[in-house]
Amino acid sequence: MTESTAPQSEHRTVLLRGGDVHSPADPFATAMVVERGHVAWVGSEGAADAFASGVDEVIDLDGALVTPAFTDAHVHTTSTGLALTGLDLSGARTLDEALGLLRAYVAAHPEDRVVLGHGWDATRWPEQRPPSRGELDAAAGGRPAYLPRIDVHSAVVTTALLDLVPGVTGLTGYHPDAPLTGAAHHAVRSAAHGAVSPRQRADAQRAALRHAASLGIGTVHECGGPDISDEEDFAALLKLAAAQSGPRVFGYWAEQVADEKDARRIRELGAVGAAGDLFVDGSLGSHTACLHEPYADGPAGDTGTAHLDAAQIAAHVTACTEAGLQAGFHAIGDAAVSAVVEGVRAAAETLGLPRIRGARHRVEHAEMLTPETVAAFAELGLTASVQPAFDAAWGGEEGMYAQRLGVERARSLNPYAALLRAGVPLAFGSDSPVTPLDPWGTVRAAAFHRTSEHRISVRAGFTAHTRGGWRAIGRDDAGILVPGAPADYAVWRTADLVVQAPDDRVARWSTDPRSGTPGLPDLTPGAELPVCLRTVVFGQTVYARPNE
């Protein structure tokens, strides 16, 4: 990809030509004009000649693909940055290997007040157990260490970190020699993150946003809250993102709202909604997702943990709707999802269904759905903010979901095709650092779901990861390259464009040029994913691949 040398200017007019532009305005577009931060025109190469002499810059795409920039609808930015710059245990194949990585990290970072790690998953280890406290104490050399499980709903810690949290042994979720959950986990997480200096935090946030930009992500939804981070971290991230060139950040603050005063405080924090990880339950991996029937591999009768009931959910949704604020919840287990549906429906009975639908409240994860709850999501206008990489990581007949739930229940998880058929809006994200920022991999995971009846077309998945994220914050005019839309786009080096759908009859029809269906990269498992050459947000380049 080559370009003319022109000074960077907020209001310069740019013509991109000689590639493929993914736009419903013209399925065969090869060129695009950007002016004052917005798409001004999309069309064919021949028509582009008329613009060439009147623009400030011409970019020769050299066959590259231009798409809307991705939106990751569920990110924990500081934690993502700390995982990028800190101890990453996600690649550990055994318990001994994880302990070895911890020993090496401790030796290489003697200045860290608290050792922060992430990403271990004992279900992938032959030992099938987490490290004991004694093993951690030895590997960490007696230093404070906080190592959350990959789902971040439980953690193993050293004795030295426990010593920094008075009264932790009396909190719910404390276990003498097992991962901490619940209130005990939140307390040690607060202590560990409190040891991170403002400089370390800002460095981590910058690292996360730089990484997102390098992957063609132009917008992230930060999911913060008092049980996840703190107000200082949340406010600092929003301030940093507004001040620097990089992906846009929309913040959600997960705290219950009872009245207009609470709603005003949420807005004063800079949040666009009292949503995100407002926990109705926990996670399947940590046995804390709330289920109607017990876990297959847990203690007899164990159905997980419920944090909010239907009445509390109804009160939150009612207060947020009356205040004109978006509400939302974290709900994974079927009992948790049922509680959300019951609560939102109760709010609709109070305020009227049109007001509830118009508020576009959202549910994060929404993994264990039934035909009845899928239909309720559609009826109530709920957005499903989902993470297809969860299925890629833990689905299948031998995956963690099957271990926790049994094969039959596990097959019902993450039914994206049913959600789309019912008309439920989808917004794709990563929940990074739970699973990595990886937008094309996320679309691939949805298109090649481990359970075949839940698969959706690449085009539908791509829409959920671009326009879907914008719709989830109430914007219908973005995440799409048409005249008037914000000029948030990415440029990709990729192979031939194709149309992929679960039903091959649809795919064959769609590849006929007469169908007017724009192609996308081949995401067949094993195929090389597109490489991001440039990411642009509101007309400004926020990432350019070196030497391209």
Side-chain angles (χ1 to χ4, degrees):
M1 183 177 68
T2 58
E3 60 187 90
S4 64
T5 56
Q8 293 289 320
S9 169
E10 183 178 353
H11 296 305
R12 77 192 197 287
T13 303
V14 180
L15 168 63
L16 300 94
R17 64 184 305 179
D20 290 290
V21 179
H22 187 86
S23 171
D26 183 345
F28 309 111
T30 61
M32 180 172 75
V33 173
V34 173
E35 185 175 23
R36 296 183 179 272
H38 291 79
V39 176
W41 172 84
V42 175
S44 66
E45 192 63 28
D49 291 336
F51 294 95
S53 62
V55 300
D56 301 310
E57 181 179 5
V58 177
I59 296 178
D60 179 3
L61 294 169
D62 193 24
L65 170 67
V66 181
T67 71
F70 285 102
T71 292
D72 192 309
H74 194 121
V75 177
H76 304 287
T77 307
T78 303
S79 294
T80 296
L82 291 171
L84 288 168
T85 59
L87 171 59
D88 182 2
L89 297 173
S90 62
R93 293 162 294 183
T94 67
L95 172 58
D96 285 344
E97 187 175 336
L99 292 170
L101 290 170
L102 174 58
R103 282 191 293 270
Y105 186 88
V106 167
H109 297 81
E111 74 286 353
D112 288 1
R113 287 181 286 177
V114 173
V115 176
L116 298 174
H118 172 74
W120 62 269
D121 184 356
T123 66
R124 298 175 179 173
W125 297 343
E127 299 88 351
Q128 289 289 299
R129 68 170 181 87
S132 69
R133 190 155 298 143
E135 289 169 330
L136 283 183
D137 287 345
R143 287 168 61 184
Y146 169 69
L147 306 176
R149 189 185 180 279
I150 191 167
D151 58 16
V152 202
H153 283 269
S154 61
V156 291
V157 302
T158 58
T159 302
L161 180 59
L162 289 175
D163 290 343
L164 299 178
V165 189
V168 67
T169 58
L171 295 177
T172 303
Y174 174 79
H175 308 285
D177 201 25
L180 306 183
T181 60
H185 176 218
H186 296 158
V188 296
R189 175 165 54 191
S190 178
H193 286 181
V196 175
S197 69
R199 179 193 59 78
Q200 285 177 295
R201 181 182 62 208
D203 288 347
Q205 292 168 349
R206 290 190 184 96
L209 294 176
R210 280 197 304 270
H211 184 55
S214 75
L215 297 170
I217 297 171
T219 300
V220 300
H221 295 181
E222 165 67 14
C223 291
D227 290 334
I228 302 162
S229 52
D230 57 53
E231 292 184 11
E232 182 181 2
D233 177 85
F234 187 77
L237 170 64
L238 297 181
K239 182 178 179 181
L240 181 147
Q244 71 172 31
S245 175
R248 306 170 189 261
V249 177
F250 293 103
Y252 285 95
W253 186 251
E255 194 165 5
Q256 288 179 261
V257 170
D259 51 32
E260 175 58 40
K261 180 181 177 182
D262 289 346
R264 185 165 57 250
R265 199 180 73 79
I266 297 290
R267 288 194 179 93
E268 288 170 352
L269 282 173
V272 297
D277 277 331
L278 182 52
F279 296 121
V280 178
D281 68 344
S283 74
L284 291 165
S286 292
H287 289 95
T288 53
C290 191
L291 312 180
H292 285 304
E293 300 295 331
Y295 283 90
D297 64 345
D302 177 26
T303 57
T305 305
H307 297 295
L308 296 175
D309 61 24
Q312 292 168 308
I313 291 164
H316 178 70
V317 172
T318 300
C320 286
T321 305
E322 289 181 321
L325 193 65
Q326 191 178 28
F329 305 92
H330 161 120
I332 287 179
D334 51 2
V337 173
S338 293
V340 169
V341 166
E342 184 180 346
V344 178
R345 183 168 281 136
E349 291 171 357
T350 300
L351 300 178
L353 183 59
R355 289 187 68 185
I356 295 297
R357 289 179 58 86
R360 302 194 190 188
H361 302 308
R362 52 191 281 175
V363 184
E364 308 301 314
H365 316 309
E367 292 200 81
M368 293 185 70
L369 292 154
T370 64
E372 292 74 24
T373 51
V374 168
F377 271 45
E379 173 197 357
L380 299 167
L382 297 174
T383 294
S385 171
V386 295
Q387 297 73 40
F390 287 8
D391 175 75
W394 302 308
E397 297 194 356
E398 297 181 357
M400 182 270 288
Y401 290 154
Q403 293 178 34
R404 294 289 185 268
L405 303 172
V407 172
E408 286 306 312
R409 270 196 297 176
R411 284 198 188 108
S412 70
L413 265 62
N414 303 302
Y416 303 135
L419 286 163
L420 284 180
R421 283 195 301 270
V424 176
L426 294 185
F428 280 179
S430 62
D431 199 8
S432 179
V434 175
T435 57
L437 298 169
D438 180 16
W440 286 114
T442 294
V443 177
R444 170 186 278 172
F448 295 92
H449 197 295
R450 289 179 180 271
T451 304
S452 59
E453 60 261 35
H454 300 330
R455 293 175 179 172
I456 62 176
S457 69
V458 167
R459 185 183 183 191
F462 178 77
T463 299
H465 217 342
T466 50
R467 199 172 190 184
W470 283 98
R471 285 171 166 166
I473 61 165
R475 290 276 302 273
D476 294 328
D477 62 336
I480 186 170
L481 299 180
V482 296
D488 289 18
Y489 62 89
V491 182
W492 308 91
R493 183 173 65 234
T494 188
D496 292 340
L497 305 182
V498 298
V499 175
Q500 291 175 296
D503 187 331
D504 65 355
R505 292 171 301 172
V506 174
R508 287 197 301 270
W509 169 81
S510 298
T511 53
D512 186 326
R514 291 170 296 179
S515 72
T517 302
L520 284 165
D522 182 0
L523 301 186
T524 303
E528 186 174 341
L529 292 176
V531 174
C532 184
L533 305 179
R534 179 183 294 257
T535 305
V536 175
V537 175
F538 201 57
Q540 298 296 298
T541 298
V542 300
Y543 168 78
R545 184 176 174 84
N547 304 317
E548 292 285 350

